[in-house]
Amino acid sequence: MPVILVLDDSATMVMSLSHILKGAGYEVETGMNGREGINKLGEGIKPSVILTDLNMPELDGIGFIKEARKIASTRFTPIIVLTTESGGRKRDEARAAGASGWLTKPAEPNQLLSVVKQLCPAK
Amino acid sequence: MSGATEANERLVCAILAEQVAALRDRMDASAAFDLLWRTTALLSWLSGLLGDLSRHSANTNPVLERERAEAIAEVAEIRGELDRLAFSQAQRQDFARQIADCVVTALERMAVAEMPAGTSFSSNDLAALYVSDDQRKLHDAVVQRMNS
């Protein structure tokens, strides 16, 4: 089963995203900030797709993307930013850091799944 | 501004920061969302169970069969609606929490005593805390209104 790594500092968002992704046939790993995300990758988790928020404590989304791109196993893993930020400047910053795509909250469950399925079909 | 007035304003900011922080911390509705997700998971399981029961039943009653199909369709529709509702509410709550976070940070900085009142925090400092374009648009509208 493909693994999706979800990073968000909101427990409710993590719960919601996990539920939607698990219901669509994905295995879900979660973290409450970028540092926890990097730690998960260090534990050997190999996600097929990473969903990350931008504004998080300790290590934010941009910082996480930069660090994840330095790790061999996630150098080319699709990283989707899911955030309340819709501004072009932040988007450019995330793209420059290595983000593959962008979803602005509020997003619909189908919208989210359609993006994830395009990148990694559930088995 | 007198020293006593500055100290009083900082005290008000500190109190407000604590109050908004308490409000933000109460915004966590994980238990309600957990119940919603469990309900949708239960609906999904019941739907599957209905299908399994029908497949293993020797008695094929066309009326029951039609009702089963209708029930499964209805369950799927309600499940989809619940999913959308819960996801939308979770995102709204997250957004409200982030705005509250921004207000707390601003008030905490304004409560700091090292700088004279009125100089410790500017509207540009506040703008740097925003997490969405909606906040920036609102900020610009207020600045424009206050300057006109």
Side-chain angles (χ1 to χ4, degrees), chain B residues 1-145:
Chain B
M1 200 181 288
S2 75
T5 310
E6 283 181 18
N8 188 48
E9 284 194 353
R10 287 195 189 101
L11 178 63
V12 170
C13 288
I15 294 167
L16 283 174
E18 286 294 327
Q19 288 185 349
V20 180
L23 185 69
R24 176 198 57 195
D25 296 343
R26 275 184 220 150
M27 282 177 184
D28 182 17
S30 301
F33 284 107
D34 184 44
L35 189 61
L36 257 179
W37 296 133
R38 279 169 58 198
T39 305
T40 64
L42 176 68
L43 284 174
S44 180
W45 178 72
L46 284 174
S47 176
L49 191 64
L50 271 175
D52 286 348
L53 284 173
S54 166
R55 274 190 293 278
H56 291 96
S57 167
N59 182 9
T60 49
N61 180 327
V63 176
L64 275 180
E65 204 43 40
R66 196 188 64 238
E67 286 182 355
R68 181 195 63 85
E70 284 172 3
I72 288 176
E74 184 72 12
V75 163
E77 194 183 321
I78 290 175
R79 193 188 166 204
E81 288 297 321
L82 281 177
D83 272 357
R84 274 190 289 278
L85 173 74
F87 195 43
S88 145
Q89 289 298 320
Q91 291 174 94
R92 276 184 204 197
Q93 191 210 321
D94 180 40
F95 189 47
R97 190 184 53 84
Q98 291 188 66
I99 290 174
D101 221 20
C102 170
V103 174
V104 170
T105 307
L107 287 168
E108 280 173 350
R109 288 201 202 160
M110 288 165 76
V112 172
E114 283 113 34
M115 296 174 79
T119 62
S120 59
F121 199 72
S122 71
S123 66
N124 285 339
D125 294 329
L126 181 63
L129 299 173
Y130 295 153
V131 295
S132 79
D133 268 6
D134 286 348
Q135 283 176 293
R136 293 184 191 100
K137 280 177 195 157
L138 187 67
H139 175 106
D140 290 343
V142 174
V143 170
Q144 208 168 12
R145 194 174 68 222

Side-chain angles (χ1 to χ4, degrees), chain A residues 9-38:
Chain A
D9 61 332
S10 157
T12 313
M13 276 305 296
V14 167
M15 196 189 287
S16 305
L17 290 165
S18 299
H19 171 83
I20 289 167
L21 292 165
K22 281 178 184 170
Y26 296 98
E27 192 179 322
V28 180
E29 289 287 337
T30 64
M32 301 296 284
N33 57 58
R35 180 59 50 215
E36 285 188 16
I38 293 298

